[in-house]
Amino acid sequence: MTSNQRKSAAVIIEDLNLSFGTTHVLKGVNLEIKPGEFFAFLGPSGSGKSTLLRAIAGFGPEPKGRILIDGEDIARHPPYKRDVGMVFQSYALWPHLSVRKNVAFGLEERRVAVQEIKSRVEAALDMVGLLDLADRRPSQLSGGQQQRVAFARTIVVEPKVLLLDEPLSNLDANLRVQMRRDIRKLQQELGLTTIFVTHDQEEANTTSDRMAVLDQGVIQQVGSPMELYDSPSSLFVARFLGTANVLEGTVSATAGAPTFRTRDGIEIPLTGYQGQVMKNGKALVFRPQNVMIRNLDVPSGPKATTLTGTVSHMEFQGSIIRYAVDVKGSVVMVDEIHHRGSEPFLAGSSVCLEVSPKQLSVLSG
């Protein structure tokens, strides 16, 4: 295998637009992916994430705009001239060929020397832990092993960029967890620029260095998983990346101190809030795990924002207890870590909620 330095390539997308007939699918996409980065495209069905990946691979209608790999615009190149490798959701293995022949296929098509094919195939199979199964057919392998074959077949041709189109979706939950760890480990060993498409937030969070959240063909936000989760730029991103409490209302200033007033008349001072207090803010957002729940007679912490309400619902979820608390008509979700022997708050209990101003986000929409 060649050096990691040679394999790492930047991917830059400039003003990319793509349509299927009269349907505008990708709308002015601009993105820069760093050499050696594991980058995820995340979004709901129909968001354009798979279309964007396939545009990089060269499958589908010709787009408008530029796609640069290692500084070369490949947007008008046929797929076989783009120097990218793609692992498909279905794996697309040849059922009549052995594992070894499946992995060697791309090298044979490129007319690589026989001895080099042998050494590169063995190295790729050894890397994915399948060298002992090289003479089996795909039908004799488990789903996870077939996925490894597809991965080996792609990396053996030494592409500049690896594209993964929801390759774990056909595996059961436990195997998906193991395979995403294995893929991440291999990607780091190879130093290979990798783009991963998924609709699963957990997969994107646990594998990617950075990710782009897409909706309706538009990139909504780019950043590390933690950055996007903690500091969403819009209500769509906040809601898509996990459970979020959203209180709708307006921002106003009283004696110079900004306050968020909900439609239900709840007033939440923003003293100590660390984000930008937008005058056009229409929603206050915070996560359930950042809310503390306590009895009314327990003193509140310093500088905490407090709300009082009534528990309307309680769910025991094993590691946590999730409460739905009615606060003047608004429902606030609270996640409390469960400890053996602790007594939960029952439906109908009057409670006080605390959230630090540091955990609040004011969003315009």
Side-chain angles (χ1 to χ4, degrees):
M1 308 290 282
T2 55
S3 68
N4 291 352
Q5 189 71 30
R6 176 186 176 276
K7 292 178 183 178
S8 297
V11 178
I12 299 174
I13 299 170
E14 298 178 346
D15 298 322
L16 197 72
N17 288 270
L18 187 146
S19 298
F20 290 98
T22 58
T23 303
H24 197 179
V25 180
L26 298 178
K27 305 166 185 176
V29 174
N30 288 278
L31 186 63
E32 182 172 350
I33 299 170
K34 302 171 186 176
E37 191 171 30
F38 197 117
F39 198 96
F41 294 161
L42 179 67
S45 297
S47 62
K49 58 188 185 297
S50 289
T51 301
L52 180 55
L53 189 81
R54 295 175 71 85
I56 297 170
F59 303 134
E62 185 175 299
K64 296 179 181 178
R66 302 210 303 165
I67 303 172
L68 292 90
I69 295 180
D70 232 5
E72 180 186 3
D73 185 3
I74 51 89
R76 254 53 73 183
H77 291 2
Y80 63 88
K81 287 189 176 182
R82 296 191 176 207
D83 206 2
V84 301
M86 189 162 180
V87 177
F88 296 91
Q89 184 176 346
S90 63
Y91 311 145
L93 302 177
W94 298 104
H96 62 289
L97 298 180
S98 67
V99 167
R100 188 188 308 276
K101 293 292 286 181
N102 263 285
V103 176
F105 184 82
L107 296 175
E108 292 171 348
E109 288 292 299
R110 289 166 172 79
R111 302 187 184 279
V112 175
V114 173
Q115 191 57 42
E116 185 178 352
I117 290 176
K118 183 176 184 297
S119 63
R120 284 168 64 173
V121 167
E122 290 190 355
L125 288 174
D126 185 51
M127 185 171 288
V128 299
L130 290 178
L131 191 55
D132 292 342
L133 304 180
D135 296 320
R136 292 192 182 182
R137 300 283 177 87
S139 61
Q140 297 173 299
L141 303 178
S142 67
Q145 289 168 335
Q146 290 182 40
Q147 198 267 357
R148 290 171 187 266
V149 175
F151 194 86
R153 182 186 58 186
T154 303
I155 64 174
V156 78
V157 299
E158 300 180 351
K160 289 182 178 178
V161 178
L162 176 64
L163 308 177
L164 305 175
D165 188 9
E166 302 208 47
L168 308 180
S169 59
N170 291 331
L171 306 178
D172 64 54
N174 290 334
L175 189 53
R176 276 204 306 272
V177 172
Q178 184 58 50
M179 288 307 304
R180 74 189 186 208
R181 291 173 182 166
D182 291 345
I183 288 176
R184 179 58 168 153
K185 182 181 177 182
L186 284 168
Q187 184 269 338
Q188 290 176 323
E189 290 176 356
L190 292 168
L192 187 58
T193 305
T194 300
I195 305 174
F196 178 41
V197 161
T198 181
H199 64 274
D200 188 309
Q201 297 96 317
E202 185 175 310
E203 284 183 0
N205 287 339
T206 55
T207 57
S208 62
D209 298 308
R210 291 189 305 145
M211 58 187 181
V213 177
L214 287 88
D215 184 44
Q216 299 182 29
V218 177
I219 291 181
Q220 303 296 314
Q221 192 173 358
V222 176
S224 72
M226 197 173 293
E227 287 170 350
L228 269 58
Y229 185 84
D230 287 344
S231 303
S233 62
S234 67
L235 284 179
F236 173 82
V237 174
R239 285 171 165 150
F240 190 74
L241 297 178
T243 304
N245 289 305
V246 178
L247 302 180
E248 297 182 344
T250 57
V251 174
S252 62
T254 302
T259 299
F260 189 88
R261 287 183 170 84
T262 73
R263 294 177 178 177
D264 301 311
I266 305 169
E267 293 194 359
I268 302 173
L270 298 177
T271 306
Y273 174 69
Q274 295 191 332
Q276 180 183 0
V277 179
M278 296 177 290
K279 293 182 179 179
N280 63 339
K282 296 179 181 178
L284 191 71
V285 179
F286 51 98
R287 301 291 182 182
Q289 71 272 17
N290 296 137
V291 186
M292 293 182 62
I293 184 170
R294 59 177 177 79
N295 288 310
L296 292 176
D297 57 356
V298 177
S300 60
K303 299 182 180 180
T305 295
T306 59
L307 303 169
T308 57
T310 304
V311 175
S312 58
H313 186 70
M314 183 271 287
E315 286 183 351
F316 173 62
Q317 299 183 3
S319 60
I320 66 166
I321 297 175
R322 172 162 289 181
Y323 297 100
V325 179
D326 185 297
V327 180
K328 292 186 178 180
S330 294
V331 176
V332 176
M333 308 299 292
V334 183
D335 287 348
E336 182 181 52
I337 295 176
H338 169 66
H339 299 283
R340 184 168 59 181
S342 62
E343 292 292 330
F345 294 95
L346 302 179
S349 300
S350 295
V351 295
C352 182
L353 306 181
E354 290 184 21
V355 58
S356 168
K358 295 179 181 179
Q359 305 299 333
L360 303 175
S361 295
V362 178
L363 302 177
S364 59

